[in-house]
Amino acid sequence: MSQSRLVMGAIEDVYEDLETDVSEEEFREAVAEKVEQMGGLADEETAAMLLAHELNEGEVEAIADIEPGMDEVKFLAKVVSVGELRTFERDGEDEDGRVVNVDAADETDSVRLAFWDEQAQSIVDGQLDEGQVLRIKGRPKDGYNGLEVSVDKAEPDEDAEVDVDLGEGSTVDALRMGQSDVNVRGIVLETDSIRTFDRDDGTEGRVANFLLGDETGRVRVTLWDDRADRAEELSPGSAVEVVDGYVREREGDLELHVGDRGAVDEIDEAVEFTPETEPIDGVAMDETVDIGGVVRSADPKRTFDRDDGSEGQVRNVRIQDDTGDIRVALWGEKADKDIAPGDEVFVADAEIQDGWQDDLEASAGWQSTVVVLDENTGAGATAPAGGASGGDSAGGSAGDGSAGLDAFTGDDSGGADAEGTGPSGSGSSGSSEASGSASAGGGSAAAATAASEEVEFTGTVVQTGNPVILDDGEETMQVDTDATLTLGQEVTARGRFDGDRLDAEDVF
C-alpha cells in the first residue's frame, strides 16, 4: 500500500473521531493549508491531529461541565421550552435588536440559550420545536437566572439522543429536570414579594416565588415577568394548579418555572400536604435542612442597622419536636409572621449555624420558608381552595428517617389539640382553641379547669412579658402574673384557669 494511501486513511480516521459540522472535504482542504502554513514542519497526519484538537476545543461532555468563564463551548441539548420574541433598542443603531430565550437540557443540567436577531426571527418563523436535539456552539455567561449561553450556531441533530422527558408531572416527586408542559396541583405554603432586575438587552425583568406543597413533597415555583403578579394575589393555604410549567435546576434543587405560556389557577379541590422533616437532634453544623415542631417560646422582634445603613429585623423562636429543640432566627419579612407558643410550624431550607453559647441554631433567611401549619394546611391535612384546613385535622405520619407532625409534640394521636389535652377545658375533639397554650399532654390541667379547682404548675420561664410562658419539658403553660421573672428561671405558679391561661394568685 502506498504512503499516500496510508496518509489519506489516517486523515479519514482522525475526521471520523470528530464531532463537528465541518465536512470531510473542508477538513482535508484545511489539512493541506495547515501543512503549507507550517512550511513542511508537519506531515498531513500531524496537521490533521492539530486541526482536530482545535476543532474539539471547547467541546464539553455535558451541560453540567459548562462554566461561565469559558470562551466558547460546544454541546448537545434538548429543547425544553421556547420563549417569545422580544425587541430592544441598541445604542447608536436605528434597527431594533431581537432575542428569543430557549430553555434546553440534557441528563445532567439545564441551560438558557439566547438566540439573537436573524436566529431569533427564524425561531419565531417555526424553525425550532420543543423536543428537538440541537448541536450548539456559543459563549457561556452567568445570567440572573443562572447559566446562559449566547448562541453563535445551533443545528438540529436527528441522530443524537438526549434522555430528558418532556410532559406532565402530576405530583412534586414526579418532577424531573428538563420537563416542560408540566401541570402540578398543591397548596400554597408561602409567597414572596416581586423583585425586578435589568436584562442584558436593557429591558427590565420581574420575578417572584412561592412554595408549593402536595402529599409527595414541596417545590419552589418561580414566576417570571407578567406572571410574577400572581405571587401577590395568592394566599397561603390556597389550593392551586400550576399549568404549563417547566422544570429547571438551581443550586442542586429542582424548581418549577412559569413563563408567558404558563399560569397558576386557584382550584376548588382538596389537596394534601404532609411535610417531611429532619429530627432536630440530628441536625449538624452548615447543613440546610427542613425541620418542624411546636413553638415553645417566641421572643419580640428586634431591629438593627446594617453596615450599608439600612435597617434589618430578626425574631427568635424556639421549636421542639419529640427529639429535641432548637432556636430559629427569623430574618426580614419572616420576623413579622404571626407565630406564638403552641403553634405548629414547618421551616424549609433552614441553615444550621453556631448560635448563642455554642448551641446550634437554625437561620431562616430569604431562601427559607416558614409555614404556620395550624393556620394554613394543618398537619398533613386536606385544604380546600382559598382557605386553611385549620389545626383540627389529623397529623400526618412521619416519613422514613424524618419526624412527621405527629412527632412534633410526642403525641401519637397526631395533633397537639387532641381530645382531653390542653388547658382550654372544652373537652371537644381536636379543638383549636388550645393553640398557643399547652403543646402536649396537659390532661391534669384540663381536668382542673373543668372543675374550676386551684392548680399548681411548675416549669422554666421560656418567655417573659404578658403572658409568661412556662415549660416543664412536657407541656407549656401561659400564665397571667404581675411577678417579675427572668428567662431560664424555674418557678411554680398557683391559681385558677381563666379561659386558656392560668391566672396566677401566687408565683414562687
Side-chain angles (χ1 to χ4, degrees):
M1 184 178 294
S2 67
Q3 183 69 23
S4 175
R5 185 176 296 275
L6 287 172
V7 171
M8 294 295 288
I11 294 175
E12 183 178 345
D13 291 341
V14 172
Y15 179 79
E16 287 179 353
D17 290 337
L18 286 174
E19 291 187 6
T20 178
D21 50 12
V22 175
S23 69
E24 184 174 355
E25 182 180 354
E26 291 174 323
F27 182 71
R28 291 186 182 278
E29 290 175 357
V31 169
E33 291 178 5
K34 192 76 169 176
V35 171
E36 185 176 349
Q37 289 173 2
M38 298 186 69
L41 295 177
D43 58 20
E44 290 182 327
E45 183 177 0
T46 302
M49 295 177 66
L50 290 172
L51 278 172
H53 177 74
E54 293 174 7
L55 289 171
N56 282 331
E57 187 176 3
E59 191 88 27
V60 294
E61 295 292 331
I63 291 175
D65 298 328
I66 301 174
E67 297 180 1
M70 293 178 172
D71 292 333
E72 183 180 76
V73 290
K74 304 170 189 175
F75 59 99
L76 284 172
K78 180 180 285 188
V79 176
V80 173
S81 64
V82 180
E84 295 183 354
L85 178 70
R86 298 201 314 272
T87 60
F88 58 94
E89 294 182 1
R90 284 195 172 100
D91 294 338
E93 296 186 21
D94 296 332
E95 185 178 353
D96 287 344
R98 291 162 290 168
V99 63
V100 171
N101 289 323
V102 172
D103 289 310
D106 66 7
E107 297 89 343
T108 68
D109 207 342
S110 60
V111 63
R112 172 157 290 186
L113 308 175
F115 290 81
W116 303 90
D117 299 325
E118 289 80 7
Q119 287 184 330
Q121 188 62 50
S122 68
I123 292 176
V124 175
D125 294 339
Q127 297 185 20
L128 185 66
D129 298 319
E130 293 178 2
Q132 276 188 300
V133 175
L134 300 179
R135 190 169 294 278
I136 301 157
K137 180 172 71 173
R139 291 160 286 117
K141 64 178 181 177
D142 192 6
Y144 178 84
N145 192 41
L147 180 66
E148 295 182 4
V149 172
S150 183
V151 176
D152 294 324
K153 189 173 185 179
E155 292 185 347
D157 191 330
E158 296 179 357
D159 297 326
E161 294 185 3
V162 175
D163 188 15
V164 172
D165 294 329
L166 306 182
E168 294 189 356
S170 57
T171 58
V172 169
D173 69 345
L175 297 177
R176 296 292 182 270
M177 194 275 299
Q179 286 180 314
S180 63
D181 300 324
V182 174
N183 299 334
V184 179
R185 297 184 177 188
I187 295 174
V188 177
L189 301 178
E190 187 182 58
T191 62
D192 291 337
S193 57
I194 297 173
R195 305 183 302 279
T196 60
F197 61 95
D198 294 326
R199 291 191 172 94
D200 291 341
D201 60 14
T203 61
E204 183 180 74
R206 303 167 74 242
V207 63
N209 301 98
F210 72 88
L211 194 70
L212 184 77
D214 68 6
E215 67 275 11
T216 69
R218 61 174 178 82
V219 65
R220 186 172 299 277
V221 180
T222 301
L223 308 171
W224 294 99
D225 297 322
D226 292 341
R227 297 294 179 264
D229 292 325
R230 290 296 282 149
E232 296 185 343
E233 298 167 357
L234 299 171
S235 300
S238 298
V240 300
E241 181 176 24
V242 176
V243 180
D244 286 341
Y246 56 96
V247 183
R248 298 194 69 188
E249 187 174 10
R250 184 175 178 83
E251 296 180 355
D253 293 325
L254 295 182
E255 291 185 347
L256 184 57
H257 289 235
V258 180
D260 294 336
R261 295 177 51 192
V264 181
D265 299 327
E266 294 193 56
I267 57 175
D268 189 16
E269 294 184 21
V271 181
E272 182 175 300
F273 170 62
T274 304
E276 291 189 1
T277 60
E278 294 291 331
I280 287 177
D281 70 348
V283 302
M285 183 70 179
D286 295 330
E287 285 185 335
T288 298
V289 298
D290 294 353
I291 56 176
V294 175
V295 177
R296 284 182 50 184
S297 63
D299 295 343
K301 179 176 69 179
R302 294 184 289 107
T303 60
F304 58 91
D305 293 328
R306 296 189 179 96
D307 292 340
D308 61 5
S310 62
E311 185 177 78
Q313 59 182 25
V314 64
R315 185 185 184 203
N316 293 324
V317 300
R318 184 168 289 274
I319 66 173
Q320 176 180 349
D321 66 9
D322 65 336
T323 70
D325 61 82
I326 191 169
R327 185 169 64 177
V328 181
L330 309 177
W331 298 94
E333 294 179 356
K334 293 177 176 59
D336 293 321
K337 283 186 169 291
D338 187 11
I339 296 178
D343 286 342
E344 293 176 353
V345 297
F346 170 59
V347 184
D349 295 324
E351 297 182 9
I352 305 302
Q353 302 175 347
D354 261 334
W356 186 59
Q357 293 184 336
D358 295 329
D359 286 338
L360 293 180
E361 74 172 26
S363 177
W366 71 272
Q367 289 183 311
S368 306
T369 300
V370 180
V371 182
V372 183
L373 290 159
D374 53 44
E375 290 182 0
N376 294 307
T377 64
T382 56
S389 63
D392 55 353
S393 55
S397 60
D400 294 340
S402 64
L405 286 176
D406 54 352
F408 289 172
T409 61
D411 183 359
D412 292 337
S413 68
D417 301 320
E419 182 176 1
T421 68
S424 65
S426 64
S428 61
S429 176
S431 169
S432 61
E433 295 299 320
S435 177
S437 51
S439 61
S444 61
T449 304
S452 297
E453 295 177 356
E454 187 176 76
V455 297
E456 289 186 358
F457 185 90
T458 301
T460 301
V461 177
V462 295
Q463 178 175 303
T464 59
N466 186 22
V468 170
I469 306 295
L470 302 183
D471 188 325
D472 68 356
E474 295 182 357
E475 66 172 301
T476 58
M477 185 69 66
Q478 297 188 71
V479 180
D480 282 329
T481 177
D482 294 330
T484 301
L485 303 174
T486 60
L487 289 174
Q489 183 179 0
E490 185 172 333
V491 298
T492 297
R494 179 191 297 145
R496 291 178 171 82
F497 281 100
D498 180 6
D500 60 359
R501 297 184 181 183
L502 178 62
D503 188 1
E505 300 171 359
D506 195 12
V507 175
F508 53 95

